[in-house]
Amino acid sequence: MFLRHHRKDGHIYWSLVESYRTEGGPRQRVVSYLGDLSESVRAGVAALAEDRPRCVQHALFDEDIVPDWQDVDTGRVVVENAREFGAWWVGLWLMQKLGLIEQFRKLMPGGSAKVAWSSMAMTSVLCRLCEPSSELRIAEVLYERSPLADLLGIPVDHVNDDRLYRTLDQLLPHKEAFEKHLRERIGQLFDVEYDLLLYDVTSTFFEGTCSGNPQAQLGYSRDQRPDCKQVNIALVVTRCGMPLGFEIFAGNTHDSQTVEHIVKTMEKRHGKADRVWVMDRGMASEENLDFLRKGGRRYILGTPKAQLRKFEKQLLEDDWSIVRDGVEAKICPAPGGAEVFILCRSADRRNKERAIRALFETRLEAGLTALKVDCQKRKRKPIVVAKQLGRLLQKSSRAAKLFKVDVTPRDNGSADVSWTKLQNWTDWAVTSEGCYMLRTNITDWTPEALWQAYIQLTQAEAAFHIHKSDLSLRPIWHQKEKRVQAHILVCFLAYVLWKTLGQLCKAAGLGDEPRRVLDELRQIRVVDVVLRTKSGIPIRLRCITQPTEAQAILLKRLGIELPRQLKVTEM
């Protein structure tokens, strides 16, 4: 057995080769491809070949001799300790590109004698990006089976859940510093414009009572968990979805009550430039509009659909402008000229709302018919029938206004049910389906530009979806207020890595879906190749598996270089 080198694309790769005899003469065959081997590793092989007793494992990385081959016992070659590597390496590479590694070390220089807080904080963020887990699972399972011990230099026995919890306490005070740093660095990398800020609010729920957390309150749940306490998360992103910052509010805080605080916070942190704030209809209270106007701020807001009634005449007119296939818009000046309203209508949205209305209308009419038949078959008190009718109308609220329902008592004390359809409500439903309205104090933009700016609000909604699905923001198991805030900060930093990878993929012509890239690259493994030489001394090599053709293309386009080899450390 011996090691042979091969040249490909200007690089040297090594393989384990075996010689054997055949009837046609001696032959050679490749037993295993080992990839790149550093000079120091080959120096160790040379030392073993000379059978020097002083040669120990660290010599594999310290010598400069470059041997060509070494006899190896082919029957005792072992590959062990295979672990995912590609996605973790990409996460660390993204941290380096964003300057986060330096920032962690600058802001969190202290720590115990064995482990720096900065390294533990990077552990938490990388785990949240690559395999979201609780602190307990990271300590007991995930850290050992990940390559983080090699990448960050923290031995497995130095990672425990208590140290991870205390890392959250050390991380939280630097939230504002991280946000400022990332804003500057992302702006440099991608030439991001901060002229349009998209603002939205979501909620995330807890497991447990959270009795010691005043922000954990019952409220409107976007997760369909009204039985659980929650907090509200307010997020500000740019038009391309890059996050600018976030704040946390009590779970029972209405969306409109967060606007003044978040706007002032972002302006204090990043300056009060000539920006446009884009928000959904939940923020469009008169108090918020007055606050934005007095500060000279520009805004584009959604409005409650009930306000469409004031523009019924304009909805019926034909002077609409096409802003996109299937979407039309028109501008309607507001009294006084300080604002304009933008009427929008979408064909897809109209078809969806029409199908929903038809479903609720059919369901409600079937329920009314069944109630009427039941009243005819048996004697029922009007008060009981009225309560049942109320529950029926509540379940079919989308169609409740289309019907006028009467419960009338009979001479024998029983009840009768009758109803008629209100044609004016039916006509209005047909007219307004697929329509919605925006309001803004920007009077010199076209309907298309205003609509395009508002529709970017989907970037904030997408950010929440990624937080909750790919980064497993929910549910939160922490019970302390500061730990909850630090947990959300870790998710925020992981999301910045996620969006950075998405922007890099987009620039490299790979789409803008980081999920697929991470899933593909996580198949690249780090393995320990154990070679038994004929002298009896083992050689342990920690090698990176060779990328497939698809993986190599991804890495090349992104400009990511895998390390040739990792130094063997105690696990």
Side-chain angles (χ1 to χ4, degrees):
M1 298 286 293
F2 60 94
L3 295 176
R4 172 184 291 166
H5 66 270
H6 314 268
R7 289 188 177 274
K8 182 179 180 181
D9 299 331
H11 295 281
I12 298 178
Y13 300 95
W14 295 82
S15 59
L16 187 63
V17 180
E18 176 187 28
S19 296
Y20 63 99
R21 294 184 179 277
T22 67
E23 294 181 356
R27 297 290 187 269
Q28 296 176 350
R29 57 189 171 199
V30 176
V31 176
S32 176
Y33 289 98
L34 302 178
D36 290 349
L37 297 180
S38 65
E39 294 182 1
S40 55
V41 172
R42 298 195 298 278
V45 175
L48 289 172
E50 296 174 13
D51 195 22
R52 292 180 291 177
R54 65 178 181 86
C55 180
V56 291
Q57 182 64 36
H58 66 78
L60 295 178
F61 301 90
D62 297 335
E63 302 292 337
D64 296 323
I65 305 173
V66 184
D68 290 327
W69 58 271
Q70 168 66 14
D71 287 334
V72 175
D73 187 349
T74 182
R76 303 177 67 189
V77 176
V78 178
V79 176
E80 60 185 27
N81 198 24
R83 291 159 290 149
E84 290 182 359
F85 180 79
W88 301 89
W89 178 258
V90 170
L92 196 63
W93 177 78
L94 290 169
M95 278 190 176
Q96 181 69 42
K97 201 168 188 66
L98 288 169
L100 274 177
I101 295 178
E102 180 182 353
Q103 198 70 5
F104 274 121
R105 292 171 178 168
K106 175 184 175 182
L107 296 174
M108 306 173 68
S112 68
K114 295 181 179 179
V115 181
W117 293 122
S118 58
S119 297
M120 292 304 300
M122 287 188 281
T123 297
S124 296
V125 175
L126 288 173
C127 287
R128 183 59 52 178
L129 174 69
C130 298
E131 191 172 340
S133 304
S134 66
E135 282 72 15
L136 182 61
R137 184 170 180 271
I138 292 173
E140 293 185 347
V141 178
L142 180 56
Y143 189 83
E144 184 175 4
R145 78 180 196 189
S146 76
L148 290 179
D150 295 318
L151 298 179
L152 300 180
I154 309 174
V156 172
D157 59 358
H158 290 177
V159 176
N160 54 64
D161 56 334
D162 181 63
R163 181 164 281 153
L164 287 166
Y165 287 135
R166 287 187 289 123
T167 298
L168 295 178
D169 301 333
Q170 298 292 324
L171 178 66
L172 183 60
H174 307 293
K175 171 182 177 294
E176 183 176 341
F178 278 117
E179 289 183 3
K180 288 182 177 179
H181 168 79
L182 288 170
R183 177 193 180 278
E184 295 174 0
R185 184 61 179 155
I186 289 171
Q188 294 169 359
L189 285 176
F190 305 111
D191 195 24
V192 174
E193 296 181 355
Y194 296 94
D195 59 326
L196 189 74
L197 298 185
L198 314 171
Y199 174 54
D200 204 356
V201 178
T202 192
S203 60
T204 186
F205 63 93
F206 295 91
E207 293 289 355
T209 60
C210 301
S211 57
N213 185 352
Q215 287 192 320
Q217 301 289 335
L218 294 175
Y220 171 62
S221 175
R222 283 86 167 174
D223 304 311
Q224 288 74 53
R225 290 300 304 270
D227 57 315
C228 295
K229 290 183 178 181
Q230 64 177 26
V231 291
N232 288 329
I233 305 171
L235 179 67
V236 179
V237 302
T238 67
R239 64 171 71 230
C240 64
M242 296 300 294
L244 186 64
F246 74 96
E247 293 295 319
I248 302 172
F249 297 90
N252 57 358
T253 306
H254 190 273
D255 291 1
S256 62
Q257 296 175 318
T258 67
V259 172
E260 184 172 348
H261 175 82
I262 203 77
V263 171
K264 288 183 176 179
T265 299
M266 292 298 114
E267 289 178 347
K268 178 181 177 182
R269 197 167 295 168
H270 306 291
K272 186 179 178 181
D274 185 22
R275 299 189 178 101
V276 178
W277 285 90
V278 182
M279 310 177 193
D280 69 9
R281 61 187 180 185
M283 283 74 162
S285 67
E286 289 302 322
E287 292 80 4
N288 288 335
L289 289 168
D290 187 56
F291 161 72
L292 293 171
R293 292 191 199 105
K294 286 183 177 178
R297 303 172 181 92
R298 298 192 296 170
Y299 58 83
I300 304 173
L301 276 67
T303 63
K305 192 166 184 177
Q307 293 193 18
L308 275 173
R309 269 289 192 179
K310 301 177 182 178
F311 296 89
E312 184 173 2
K313 178 182 176 181
Q314 288 86 343
L315 289 175
L316 296 172
E317 294 173 350
D318 296 328
D319 55 338
W320 293 82
S321 301
I322 298 176
V323 297
R324 196 180 71 179
D325 290 342
V327 180
E328 299 173 304
K330 63 190 299 187
I331 289 180
C332 300
E339 276 190 326
V340 294
F341 290 88
I342 307 98
L343 299 179
C344 309
R345 64 183 181 188
S346 163
D348 291 339
R349 187 167 178 166
R350 180 181 64 245
N351 294 335
K352 179 181 178 180
E353 291 181 0
R354 183 168 297 174
I356 292 174
R357 176 177 60 84
L359 175 63
F360 277 91
E361 184 176 349
T362 301
R363 183 186 298 171
L364 178 55
E365 194 159 14
L368 292 172
T369 302
L371 183 60
K372 179 179 180 66
V373 171
D374 187 47
C375 289
Q376 291 173 346
K377 288 183 177 179
R378 59 195 180 106
K379 184 178 179 180
R380 301 196 61 190
K381 294 181 179 181
I383 186 65
V384 176
V385 175
K387 289 181 180 180
Q388 185 176 349
L389 175 62
R391 291 192 295 269
L392 182 62
L393 292 174
Q394 186 178 17
K395 290 181 180 178
S396 302
S397 57
R398 291 286 188 104
K401 293 182 178 180
L402 301 178
F403 292 84
K404 182 179 183 302
V405 186
D406 295 311
V407 178
T408 55
R410 295 176 181 168
D411 295 337
N412 61 358
S414 63
D416 189 21
V417 178
S418 61
W419 66 89
T420 57
K421 287 188 176 182
L422 301 176
Q423 189 59 42
N424 60 328
W425 276 103
T426 301
D427 293 341
W428 170 245
V430 172
T431 300
S432 62
E433 281 169 348
C435 298
Y436 53 97
M437 187 169 66
L438 316 175
R439 67 188 302 173
T440 180
N441 58 354
I442 303 173
T443 59
D444 56 346
W445 287 17
T446 65
E448 181 179 4
L450 291 167
W451 179 84
Q452 287 284 1
Y454 181 77
I455 209 66
Q456 294 297 316
L457 198 58
T458 55
Q459 292 288 349
E461 297 170 356
F464 289 139
H465 175 73
I466 293 169
H467 272 83
K468 293 182 177 183
S469 57
D470 298 279
L471 304 178
S472 297
L473 170 67
R474 59 182 179 184
I476 297 178
W477 295 87
H478 299 283
Q479 302 297 302
K480 297 181 179 181
E481 181 180 6
K482 298 297 184 182
R483 293 270 173 89
V484 170
Q485 295 173 355
H487 166 79
I488 296 173
L489 175 57
V490 169
C491 293
F492 173 82
L493 293 175
Y495 177 69
V496 174
L497 299 181
W498 180 280
K499 286 299 296 183
T500 300
L501 179 57
Q503 290 294 315
L504 293 171
C505 288
K506 187 175 181 180
L510 299 171
D512 58 353
E513 183 46 76
R515 183 184 298 104
R516 294 183 180 179
V517 174
L518 287 175
D519 286 345
E520 181 66 33
L521 296 182
R522 75 171 66 249
Q523 303 305 318
I524 299 175
R525 298 284 201 268
V526 56
V527 298
D528 287 355
V529 180
V530 183
L531 307 174
R532 294 283 181 177
T533 65
K534 290 190 175 180
S535 61
I537 301 177
I539 304 174
R540 180 178 292 271
L541 307 176
R542 186 152 291 167
C543 303
I544 313 301
T545 59
Q546 290 298 303
T548 64
E549 183 177 354
Q551 293 165 351
I553 292 174
L554 288 177
L555 293 170
K556 184 176 181 180
R557 289 195 179 182
L558 291 172
I560 301 175
E561 292 187 10
L562 295 176
R564 294 182 177 183
Q565 199 168 354
L566 299 179
K567 184 174 181 178
V568 178
T569 57
E570 294 294 331
M571 297 296 291

